[in-house]
Amino acid sequence: MEWTEVEGKTVEEAIEKAQQILKVSKEGLEIEVLSNGSQGFLGLLGSKKARIKVGVIKRPEESKKEKAVDFLKEILRLAKIPATVTAKIEGRRLMVTIAGDGSGLLIGRRGQTLDALQFLANKVVNRDGDKIPVVVDTENYRHRREEKLVNIAHRLRERALRNRSSVATEPLNPQERRLIYLSLQNNPDVLAKSEGEGELKRVIISPRRQNQG
Amino acid sequence: MKELIKHIAQALVDKPDEVVVTEIEGERTSVLELKVAKDDLGKIIGKQGRTARAVRTILSAASTKINKRAVLEILE
């Protein structure tokens, strides 16, 4: 923590000053009184100013943000991948963006490199304190993938209905499967369920035989 | 590559001082041996080996960039 020393006639005045200088409320300050000060005789003789030492208490999300950025930056530096890392807190999530050379190296096959970076960042950041989800993105991959999955869901639904048989997606991770379910939830003509074991499962989309039963 | 594995491992464990990585360089393939404190082994491997898998994924992305192959061995 960075410390600043502030003086005032009284400790209260010094705290007020500190709040103005550092632009934070009293709750956001860690305060240590160095000297209480004294009024002196009739406020004239031997008066001593009060001195305090203050530091700004970092919000846990802020320090988690720094941790995530430092961790990923160092990985990229050691892997000799030129890239910049930025992060911002959005609601309850920490959104980390890596801007690389656009080669797709950071994304990997079906996003597996990006998912690995995200998984490890989550581990490292949430080792202590409240857990906050960390999302790692590059080249807007997360959004593009989301659009693609919604697209796939609808295409497979059409195919299932046309062929009157079940169709399967490629193996997907839980977030990806969730998107398939969400995009089909308003389509009672098909039934979706997951099949497989482990992290990656396929979603099977089958036509519901409502007219024949 | 050695430093990369060391950095990731140290960020995951409770005893970063006990992380040791040795690199056995081959012509095309390198083997990286990772040793951590006994109590930290689970942190490196993770539930169903997920953490270890993520570390390996990053390692292969990094070695692809320099046209090499690297294998990570976690020593018990």
Side-chain angles (χ1 to χ4, degrees):
Chain A
M1 191 180 292
E2 264 182 57
W3 295 94
T4 315
E5 284 190 20
V6 187
E7 282 184 344
K9 269 183 203 142
T10 59
V11 169
E12 288 69 36
E13 197 192 272
I15 293 173
E16 263 176 48
K17 261 195 199 166
Q19 282 171 237
Q20 285 166 13
I21 296 168
L22 299 168
K23 296 182 179 66
V24 282
S25 67
K26 197 177 167 183
E27 289 69 41
L29 284 178
E30 176 133 346
I31 301 161
E32 195 182 308
V33 178
L34 297 171
S35 129
N36 269 312
S38 62
Q39 295 289 333
F41 181 66
L42 297 173
L44 289 168
L45 287 166
S47 75
K48 256 177 67 189
K49 284 194 168 172
R51 279 178 52 227
I52 57 166
K53 199 164 92 167
V54 288
V56 181
I57 299 167
K58 254 185 215 149
R59 286 161 58 223
E61 304 92 66
E62 286 295 328
S63 61
K64 284 189 182 232
K65 182 173 123 183
E66 272 175 32
K67 223 186 217 175
V69 171
D70 289 348
F71 173 69
L72 293 169
K73 262 191 187 161
E74 189 65 3
I75 289 185
L76 297 166
R77 188 183 72 80
L78 294 168
K80 300 190 174 65
I81 299 170
T84 54
V85 185
T86 50
K88 58 174 188 263
I89 296 156
E90 271 183 26
R92 275 282 300 147
R93 298 193 301 180
L94 178 58
M95 307 291 296
V96 184
T97 308
I98 305 175
D101 58 0
S103 66
L105 179 71
L106 287 168
I107 299 173
R109 202 167 138 257
R110 280 189 204 138
Q112 64 175 7
T113 307
L114 197 59
D115 285 341
L117 290 169
Q118 175 172 302
F119 179 79
L120 292 178
N122 268 288
K123 282 261 149 177
V124 170
V125 163
N126 292 318
R127 282 188 61 191
D128 42 44
D130 284 340
K131 287 206 186 331
I132 64 167
V134 183
V135 179
V136 180
D137 198 6
T138 184
E139 297 162 34
N140 205 20
Y141 175 78
R142 302 275 174 220
H143 183 69
R144 283 191 285 135
R145 181 76 179 147
E146 206 168 288
E147 285 189 333
K148 198 172 167 197
L149 284 166
V150 172
N151 212 311
I152 286 173
H154 290 297
R155 260 194 3 242
L156 290 181
R157 170 183 160 260
E158 277 162 27
R159 203 196 298 169
L161 291 175
R162 197 171 55 235
N163 298 351
R164 293 196 190 116
S165 69
S166 301
V167 287
T169 65
E170 57 189 30
L172 302 173
N173 70 34
Q175 298 91 290
E176 292 173 330
R177 292 199 299 275
R178 185 173 160 268
L179 270 168
I180 300 280
Y181 286 114
L182 283 177
S183 16
L184 293 176
Q185 68 179 359
N186 293 322
N187 294 107
D189 50 0
V190 286
L191 184 77
K193 63 170 196 287
S194 295
E195 201 177 272
E197 264 171 41
E199 255 309 274
L200 301 178
K201 296 188 179 84
R202 293 174 189 275
V203 180
I204 314 289
I205 300 164
S206 333
R208 233 195 264 262
R209 308 187 179 209
Q210 45 197 355
N211 302 328
Q212 294 165 22
Chain B
M1 288 308 125
K2 192 174 141 181
E3 290 303 314
L4 175 67
I5 295 303
K6 196 170 175 187
H7 164 64
I8 297 174
Q10 286 185 325
L12 291 167
V13 300
D14 287 333
K15 295 175 181 162
D17 295 344
E18 291 186 39
V19 172
V20 181
V21 186
T22 4
E23 184 163 9
I24 304 154
E25 269 190 82
E27 214 165 285
R28 296 200 55 227
T29 308
S30 292
V31 179
L32 290 143
E33 289 182 339
L34 169 64
K35 206 168 163 20
V36 298
K38 207 166 180 248
D39 307 339
D40 281 331
L41 201 58
K43 290 210 172 61
I44 287 292
I45 295 169
K47 267 184 217 148
Q48 292 169 343
R50 275 191 77 185
T51 309
R53 205 182 315 138
V55 178
R56 290 193 171 110
T57 304
I58 291 168
L59 179 64
S60 57
S63 35
T64 306
K65 190 167 155 55
I66 52 169
N67 290 317
K68 276 197 96 175
R69 251 173 56 84
V71 185
L72 175 68
E73 300 253 12
I74 299 164
L75 303 181
E76 288 190 40

PDB file of all heavy atoms in Angstrom, chain A residues 33-64:
ATOM      1  N   VAL A  33      -2.533   7.109  13.064  1.00  0.00           N
ATOM      2  CA  VAL A  33      -2.256   8.410  13.666  1.00  0.00           C
ATOM      3  C   VAL A  33      -0.801   8.451  14.113  1.00  0.00           C
ATOM      4  O   VAL A  33      -0.353   7.611  14.882  1.00  0.00           O
ATOM      5  CB  VAL A  33      -3.200   8.670  14.867  1.00  0.00           C
ATOM      6  CG1 VAL A  33      -2.873  10.010  15.516  1.00  0.00           C
ATOM      7  CG2 VAL A  33      -4.640   8.631  14.410  1.00  0.00           C
ATOM      8  N   LEU A  34      -0.056   9.422  13.583  1.00  0.00           N
ATOM      9  CA  LEU A  34       1.357   9.535  13.945  1.00  0.00           C
ATOM     10  C   LEU A  34       1.532  10.442  15.151  1.00  0.00           C
ATOM     11  O   LEU A  34       2.364  10.215  16.015  1.00  0.00           O
ATOM     12  CB  LEU A  34       2.161  10.089  12.755  1.00  0.00           C
ATOM     13  CG  LEU A  34       2.169   9.213  11.494  1.00  0.00           C
ATOM     14  CD1 LEU A  34       2.807   9.959  10.343  1.00  0.00           C
ATOM     15  CD2 LEU A  34       2.895   7.904  11.748  1.00  0.00           C
ATOM     16  N   SER A  35       0.715  11.511  15.178  1.00  0.00           N
ATOM     17  CA  SER A  35       0.773  12.391  16.333  1.00  0.00           C
ATOM     18  C   SER A  35      -0.588  13.045  16.494  1.00  0.00           C
ATOM     19  O   SER A  35      -1.205  13.478  15.516  1.00  0.00           O
ATOM     20  CB  SER A  35       1.891  13.426  16.126  1.00  0.00           C
ATOM     21  OG  SER A  35       1.411  14.720  16.354  1.00  0.00           O
ATOM     22  N   ASN A  36      -1.078  13.078  17.726  1.00  0.00           N
ATOM     23  CA  ASN A  36      -2.414  13.604  17.973  1.00  0.00           C
ATOM     24  C   ASN A  36      -2.489  15.121  17.871  1.00  0.00           C
ATOM     25  O   ASN A  36      -3.559  15.679  17.709  1.00  0.00           O
ATOM     26  CB  ASN A  36      -2.897  13.171  19.360  1.00  0.00           C
ATOM     27  CG  ASN A  36      -3.641  11.860  19.280  1.00  0.00           C
ATOM     28  OD1 ASN A  36      -4.512  11.704  18.433  1.00  0.00           O
ATOM     29  ND2 ASN A  36      -3.285  10.916  20.137  1.00  0.00           N
ATOM     30  N   GLY A  37      -1.365  15.741  18.012  1.00  0.00           N
ATOM     31  CA  GLY A  37      -1.367  17.205  17.988  1.00  0.00           C
ATOM     32  C   GLY A  37      -1.833  17.747  19.319  1.00  0.00           C
ATOM     33  O   GLY A  37      -2.475  17.061  20.104  1.00  0.00           O
ATOM     34  N   SER A  38      -1.493  18.988  19.593  1.00  0.00           N
ATOM     35  CA  SER A  38      -2.004  19.587  20.821  1.00  0.00           C
ATOM     36  C   SER A  38      -2.289  21.047  20.557  1.00  0.00           C
ATOM     37  O   SER A  38      -1.680  21.677  19.685  1.00  0.00           O
ATOM     38  CB  SER A  38      -1.001  19.402  21.954  1.00  0.00           C
ATOM     39  OG  SER A  38       0.203  20.071  21.609  1.00  0.00           O
ATOM     40  N   GLN A  39      -3.253  21.530  21.284  1.00  0.00           N
ATOM     41  CA  GLN A  39      -3.683  22.903  21.058  1.00  0.00           C
ATOM     42  C   GLN A  39      -2.652  23.911  21.574  1.00  0.00           C
ATOM     43  O   GLN A  39      -2.600  25.039  21.116  1.00  0.00           O
ATOM     44  CB  GLN A  39      -5.021  23.146  21.780  1.00  0.00           C
ATOM     45  CG  GLN A  39      -6.168  22.333  21.226  1.00  0.00           C
ATOM     46  CD  GLN A  39      -6.618  22.799  19.871  1.00  0.00           C
ATOM     47  OE1 GLN A  39      -6.450  23.967  19.532  1.00  0.00           O
ATOM     48  NE2 GLN A  39      -7.162  21.899  19.081  1.00  0.00           N
ATOM     49  N   GLY A  40      -1.857  23.476  22.520  1.00  0.00           N
ATOM     50  CA  GLY A  40      -0.907  24.399  23.104  1.00  0.00           C
ATOM     51  C   GLY A  40      -1.599  25.323  24.095  1.00  0.00           C
ATOM     52  O   GLY A  40      -2.814  25.222  24.324  1.00  0.00           O
ATOM     53  N   PHE A  41      -0.918  26.216  24.623  1.00  0.00           N
ATOM     54  CA  PHE A  41      -1.466  27.134  25.628  1.00  0.00           C
ATOM     55  C   PHE A  41      -2.243  28.240  24.929  1.00  0.00           C
ATOM     56  O   PHE A  41      -1.707  28.990  24.124  1.00  0.00           O
ATOM     57  CB  PHE A  41      -0.321  27.713  26.468  1.00  0.00           C
ATOM     58  CG  PHE A  41      -0.798  28.644  27.547  1.00  0.00           C
ATOM     59  CD1 PHE A  41      -1.563  28.150  28.605  1.00  0.00           C
ATOM     60  CD2 PHE A  41      -0.498  30.008  27.490  1.00  0.00           C
ATOM     61  CE1 PHE A  41      -2.015  28.996  29.597  1.00  0.00           C
ATOM     62  CE2 PHE A  41      -0.966  30.851  28.475  1.00  0.00           C
ATOM     63  CZ  PHE A  41      -1.720  30.351  29.548  1.00  0.00           C
ATOM     64  N   LEU A  42      -3.547  28.278  25.198  1.00  0.00           N
ATOM     65  CA  LEU A  42      -4.443  29.262  24.578  1.00  0.00           C
ATOM     66  C   LEU A  42      -4.367  29.222  23.060  1.00  0.00           C
ATOM     67  O   LEU A  42      -4.577  30.216  22.379  1.00  0.00           O
ATOM     68  CB  LEU A  42      -4.114  30.677  25.064  1.00  0.00           C
ATOM     69  CG  LEU A  42      -4.299  30.943  26.549  1.00  0.00           C
ATOM     70  CD1 LEU A  42      -3.762  32.340  26.892  1.00  0.00           C
ATOM     71  CD2 LEU A  42      -5.760  30.828  26.946  1.00  0.00           C
ATOM     72  N   GLY A  43      -4.005  28.067  22.558  1.00  0.00           N
ATOM     73  CA  GLY A  43      -3.913  27.927  21.112  1.00  0.00           C
ATOM     74  C   GLY A  43      -2.758  28.690  20.497  1.00  0.00           C
ATOM     75  O   GLY A  43      -2.698  28.895  19.292  1.00  0.00           O
ATOM     76  N   LEU A  44      -1.855  29.117  21.333  1.00  0.00           N
ATOM     77  CA  LEU A  44      -0.749  29.916  20.795  1.00  0.00           C
ATOM     78  C   LEU A  44       0.607  29.248  21.005  1.00  0.00           C
ATOM     79  O   LEU A  44       1.324  28.952  20.062  1.00  0.00           O
ATOM     80  CB  LEU A  44      -0.707  31.290  21.463  1.00  0.00           C
ATOM     81  CG  LEU A  44      -1.819  32.254  21.105  1.00  0.00           C
ATOM     82  CD1 LEU A  44      -1.802  33.436  22.077  1.00  0.00           C
ATOM     83  CD2 LEU A  44      -1.662  32.726  19.681  1.00  0.00           C
ATOM     84  N   LEU A  45       0.855  28.979  22.274  1.00  0.00           N
ATOM     85  CA  LEU A  45       2.185  28.485  22.578  1.00  0.00           C
ATOM     86  C   LEU A  45       2.259  26.964  22.462  1.00  0.00           C
ATOM     87  O   LEU A  45       1.375  26.276  22.950  1.00  0.00           O
ATOM     88  CB  LEU A  45       2.594  28.896  24.004  1.00  0.00           C
ATOM     89  CG  LEU A  45       2.924  30.378  24.173  1.00  0.00           C
ATOM     90  CD1 LEU A  45       2.984  30.730  25.656  1.00  0.00           C
ATOM     91  CD2 LEU A  45       4.259  30.691  23.513  1.00  0.00           C
ATOM     92  N   GLY A  46       3.275  26.496  21.824  1.00  0.00           N
ATOM     93  CA  GLY A  46       3.551  25.061  21.797  1.00  0.00           C
ATOM     94  C   GLY A  46       2.488  24.231  21.105  1.00  0.00           C
ATOM     95  O   GLY A  46       2.356  23.052  21.382  1.00  0.00           O
ATOM     96  N   SER A  47       1.701  24.847  20.228  1.00  0.00           N
ATOM     97  CA  SER A  47       0.708  24.049  19.513  1.00  0.00           C
ATOM     98  C   SER A  47       1.416  23.152  18.501  1.00  0.00           C
ATOM     99  O   SER A  47       2.368  23.575  17.840  1.00  0.00           O
ATOM    100  CB  SER A  47      -0.311  24.943  18.824  1.00  0.00           C
ATOM    101  OG  SER A  47       0.257  25.521  17.684  1.00  0.00           O
ATOM    102  N   LYS A  48       0.914  21.917  18.466  1.00  0.00           N
ATOM    103  CA  LYS A  48       1.535  20.978  17.542  1.00  0.00           C
ATOM    104  C   LYS A  48       0.463  20.451  16.590  1.00  0.00           C
ATOM    105  O   LYS A  48      -0.673  20.192  16.996  1.00  0.00           O
ATOM    106  CB  LYS A  48       2.119  19.794  18.334  1.00  0.00           C
ATOM    107  CG  LYS A  48       3.635  19.871  18.462  1.00  0.00           C
ATOM    108  CD  LYS A  48       4.170  18.737  19.312  1.00  0.00           C
ATOM    109  CE  LYS A  48       3.976  17.380  18.634  1.00  0.00           C
ATOM    110  NZ  LYS A  48       4.301  16.279  19.586  1.00  0.00           N
ATOM    111  N   LYS A  49       0.838  20.321  15.357  1.00  0.00           N
ATOM    112  CA  LYS A  49      -0.136  19.812  14.397  1.00  0.00           C
ATOM    113  C   LYS A  49      -0.314  18.310  14.541  1.00  0.00           C
ATOM    114  O   LYS A  49       0.611  17.604  14.921  1.00  0.00           O
ATOM    115  CB  LYS A  49       0.327  20.141  12.975  1.00  0.00           C
ATOM    116  CG  LYS A  49       0.095  21.607  12.623  1.00  0.00           C
ATOM    117  CD  LYS A  49       0.237  21.836  11.154  1.00  0.00           C
ATOM    118  CE  LYS A  49      -0.294  23.214  10.801  1.00  0.00           C
ATOM    119  NZ  LYS A  49      -0.003  23.557   9.408  1.00  0.00           N
ATOM    120  N   ALA A  50      -1.528  17.861  14.214  1.00  0.00           N
ATOM    121  CA  ALA A  50      -1.782  16.428  14.209  1.00  0.00           C
ATOM    122  C   ALA A  50      -1.255  15.877  12.891  1.00  0.00           C
ATOM    123  O   ALA A  50      -1.395  16.502  11.839  1.00  0.00           O
ATOM    124  CB  ALA A  50      -3.269  16.155  14.333  1.00  0.00           C
ATOM    125  N   ARG A  51      -0.641  14.689  12.949  1.00  0.00           N
ATOM    126  CA  ARG A  51      -0.140  14.082  11.709  1.00  0.00           C
ATOM    127  C   ARG A  51      -0.668  12.663  11.584  1.00  0.00           C
ATOM    128  O   ARG A  51      -0.682  11.896  12.552  1.00  0.00           O
ATOM    129  CB  ARG A  51       1.394  14.082  11.696  1.00  0.00           C
ATOM    130  CG  ARG A  51       1.959  15.445  11.273  1.00  0.00           C
ATOM    131  CD  ARG A  51       3.470  15.465  11.308  1.00  0.00           C
ATOM    132  NE  ARG A  51       4.039  14.361  10.559  1.00  0.00           N
ATOM    133  CZ  ARG A  51       5.014  13.600  11.050  1.00  0.00           C
ATOM    134  NH1 ARG A  51       5.484  13.800  12.255  1.00  0.00           N
ATOM    135  NH2 ARG A  51       5.507  12.624  10.311  1.00  0.00           N
ATOM    136  N   ILE A  52      -1.123  12.338  10.401  1.00  0.00           N
ATOM    137  CA  ILE A  52      -1.592  10.977  10.181  1.00  0.00           C
ATOM    138  C   ILE A  52      -0.954  10.414   8.912  1.00  0.00           C
ATOM    139  O   ILE A  52      -0.465  11.166   8.062  1.00  0.00           O
ATOM    140  CB  ILE A  52      -3.141  10.893  10.029  1.00  0.00           C
ATOM    141  CG1 ILE A  52      -3.613  11.803   8.887  1.00  0.00           C
ATOM    142  CG2 ILE A  52      -3.841  11.247  11.324  1.00  0.00           C
ATOM    143  CD1 ILE A  52      -5.039  11.541   8.452  1.00  0.00           C
ATOM    144  N   LYS A  53      -1.001   9.105   8.820  1.00  0.00           N
ATOM    145  CA  LYS A  53      -0.486   8.420   7.639  1.00  0.00           C
ATOM    146  C   LYS A  53      -1.697   7.703   7.039  1.00  0.00           C
ATOM    147  O   LYS A  53      -2.417   6.997   7.759  1.00  0.00           O
ATOM    148  CB  LYS A  53       0.558   7.407   8.107  1.00  0.00           C
ATOM    149  CG  LYS A  53       1.496   6.937   7.053  1.00  0.00           C
ATOM    150  CD  LYS A  53       2.694   6.262   7.698  1.00  0.00           C
ATOM    151  CE  LYS A  53       2.433   4.780   7.834  1.00  0.00           C
ATOM    152  NZ  LYS A  53       3.626   3.983   8.160  1.00  0.00           N
ATOM    153  N   VAL A  54      -1.952   7.902   5.760  1.00  0.00           N
ATOM    154  CA  VAL A  54      -3.120   7.246   5.162  1.00  0.00           C
ATOM    155  C   VAL A  54      -2.737   6.478   3.907  1.00  0.00           C
ATOM    156  O   VAL A  54      -1.824   6.855   3.178  1.00  0.00           O
ATOM    157  CB  VAL A  54      -4.239   8.255   4.779  1.00  0.00           C
ATOM    158  CG1 VAL A  54      -4.917   8.796   6.009  1.00  0.00           C
ATOM    159  CG2 VAL A  54      -3.705   9.378   3.916  1.00  0.00           C
ATOM    160  N   GLY A  55      -3.464   5.418   3.674  1.00  0.00           N
ATOM    161  CA  GLY A  55      -3.292   4.633   2.449  1.00  0.00           C
ATOM    162  C   GLY A  55      -4.666   4.300   1.916  1.00  0.00           C
ATOM    163  O   GLY A  55      -5.621   4.183   2.689  1.00  0.00           O
ATOM    164  N   VAL A  56      -4.788   4.168   0.606  1.00  0.00           N
ATOM    165  CA  VAL A  56      -6.078   3.826   0.023  1.00  0.00           C
ATOM    166  C   VAL A  56      -6.232   2.310   0.029  1.00  0.00           C
ATOM    167  O   VAL A  56      -5.378   1.587  -0.461  1.00  0.00           O
ATOM    168  CB  VAL A  56      -6.186   4.361  -1.425  1.00  0.00           C
ATOM    169  CG1 VAL A  56      -7.546   4.018  -2.017  1.00  0.00           C
ATOM    170  CG2 VAL A  56      -5.959   5.856  -1.453  1.00  0.00           C
ATOM    171  N   ILE A  57      -7.323   1.847   0.620  1.00  0.00           N
ATOM    172  CA  ILE A  57      -7.589   0.407   0.648  1.00  0.00           C
ATOM    173  C   ILE A  57      -8.113   0.016  -0.725  1.00  0.00           C
ATOM    174  O   ILE A  57      -9.072   0.585  -1.235  1.00  0.00           O
ATOM    175  CB  ILE A  57      -8.645   0.056   1.716  1.00  0.00           C
ATOM    176  CG1 ILE A  57      -8.143   0.463   3.102  1.00  0.00           C
ATOM    177  CG2 ILE A  57      -8.989  -1.430   1.665  1.00  0.00           C
ATOM    178  CD1 ILE A  57      -9.213   0.441   4.168  1.00  0.00           C
ATOM    179  N   LYS A  58      -7.454  -0.982  -1.288  1.00  0.00           N
ATOM    180  CA  LYS A  58      -7.861  -1.412  -2.627  1.00  0.00           C
ATOM    181  C   LYS A  58      -9.091  -2.288  -2.539  1.00  0.00           C
ATOM    182  O   LYS A  58      -9.189  -3.163  -1.696  1.00  0.00           O
ATOM    183  CB  LYS A  58      -6.732  -2.192  -3.268  1.00  0.00           C
ATOM    184  CG  LYS A  58      -6.055  -1.381  -4.327  1.00  0.00           C
ATOM    185  CD  LYS A  58      -5.034  -2.205  -5.031  1.00  0.00           C
ATOM    186  CE  LYS A  58      -3.875  -1.300  -5.388  1.00  0.00           C
ATOM    187  NZ  LYS A  58      -2.630  -2.018  -5.402  1.00  0.00           N
ATOM    188  N   ARG A  59     -10.039  -2.062  -3.424  1.00  0.00           N
ATOM    189  CA  ARG A  59     -11.189  -2.957  -3.461  1.00  0.00           C
ATOM    190  C   ARG A  59     -10.690  -4.312  -3.931  1.00  0.00           C
ATOM    191  O   ARG A  59      -9.793  -4.386  -4.769  1.00  0.00           O
ATOM    192  CB  ARG A  59     -12.238  -2.403  -4.440  1.00  0.00           C
ATOM    193  CG  ARG A  59     -12.972  -1.189  -3.865  1.00  0.00           C
ATOM    194  CD  ARG A  59     -13.639  -0.394  -4.952  1.00  0.00           C
ATOM    195  NE  ARG A  59     -14.586  -1.183  -5.713  1.00  0.00           N
ATOM    196  CZ  ARG A  59     -14.675  -1.133  -7.032  1.00  0.00           C
ATOM    197  NH1 ARG A  59     -13.851  -0.390  -7.718  1.00  0.00           N
ATOM    198  NH2 ARG A  59     -15.578  -1.835  -7.656  1.00  0.00           N
ATOM    199  N   PRO A  60     -11.272  -5.403  -3.376  1.00  0.00           N
ATOM    200  CA  PRO A  60     -10.765  -6.726  -3.758  1.00  0.00           C
ATOM    201  C   PRO A  60     -10.799  -6.957  -5.261  1.00  0.00           C
ATOM    202  O   PRO A  60      -9.893  -7.571  -5.814  1.00  0.00           O
ATOM    203  CB  PRO A  60     -11.680  -7.693  -3.017  1.00  0.00           C
ATOM    204  CG  PRO A  60     -12.723  -6.894  -2.341  1.00  0.00           C
ATOM    205  CD  PRO A  60     -12.300  -5.466  -2.343  1.00  0.00           C
ATOM    206  N   GLU A  61     -11.822  -6.440  -5.920  1.00  0.00           N
ATOM    207  CA  GLU A  61     -11.904  -6.658  -7.380  1.00  0.00           C
ATOM    208  C   GLU A  61     -10.726  -5.991  -8.084  1.00  0.00           C
ATOM    209  O   GLU A  61     -10.203  -6.508  -9.058  1.00  0.00           O
ATOM    210  CB  GLU A  61     -13.187  -6.063  -7.980  1.00  0.00           C
ATOM    211  CG  GLU A  61     -14.479  -6.549  -7.374  1.00  0.00           C
ATOM    212  CD  GLU A  61     -14.930  -5.663  -6.242  1.00  0.00           C
ATOM    213  OE1 GLU A  61     -15.251  -4.502  -6.511  1.00  0.00           O
ATOM    214  OE2 GLU A  61     -14.939  -6.121  -5.097  1.00  0.00           O
ATOM    215  N   GLU A  62     -10.342  -4.829  -7.559  1.00  0.00           N
ATOM    216  CA  GLU A  62      -9.229  -4.109  -8.184  1.00  0.00           C
ATOM    217  C   GLU A  62      -7.938  -4.925  -8.095  1.00  0.00           C
ATOM    218  O   GLU A  62      -7.194  -5.016  -9.059  1.00  0.00           O
ATOM    219  CB  GLU A  62      -9.026  -2.746  -7.506  1.00  0.00           C
ATOM    220  CG  GLU A  62     -10.083  -1.718  -7.873  1.00  0.00           C
ATOM    221  CD  GLU A  62     -10.050  -1.340  -9.351  1.00  0.00           C
ATOM    222  OE1 GLU A  62      -8.959  -1.343  -9.955  1.00  0.00           O
ATOM    223  OE2 GLU A  62     -11.139  -1.034  -9.885  1.00  0.00           O
ATOM    224  N   SER A  63      -7.710  -5.522  -6.930  1.00  0.00           N
ATOM    225  CA  SER A  63      -6.457  -6.260  -6.819  1.00  0.00           C
ATOM    226  C   SER A  63      -6.530  -7.564  -7.602  1.00  0.00           C
ATOM    227  O   SER A  63      -5.532  -8.036  -8.128  1.00  0.00           O
ATOM    228  CB  SER A  63      -6.069  -6.480  -5.359  1.00  0.00           C
ATOM    229  OG  SER A  63      -7.044  -7.231  -4.718  1.00  0.00           O
ATOM    230  N   LYS A  64      -7.740  -8.126  -7.721  1.00  0.00           N
ATOM    231  CA  LYS A  64      -7.890  -9.328  -8.549  1.00  0.00           C
ATOM    232  C   LYS A  64      -7.640  -8.990 -10.012  1.00  0.00           C
ATOM    233  O   LYS A  64      -7.062  -9.769 -10.762  1.00  0.00           O
ATOM    234  CB  LYS A  64      -9.279  -9.926  -8.376  1.00  0.00           C
ATOM    235  CG  LYS A  64      -9.387 -10.647  -7.058  1.00  0.00           C
ATOM    236  CD  LYS A  64     -10.650 -11.446  -6.911  1.00  0.00           C
ATOM    237  CE  LYS A  64     -10.673 -12.073  -5.537  1.00  0.00           C
ATOM    238  NZ  LYS A  64     -10.909 -13.484  -5.526  1.00  0.00           N
TER     239      LYS A  64
END
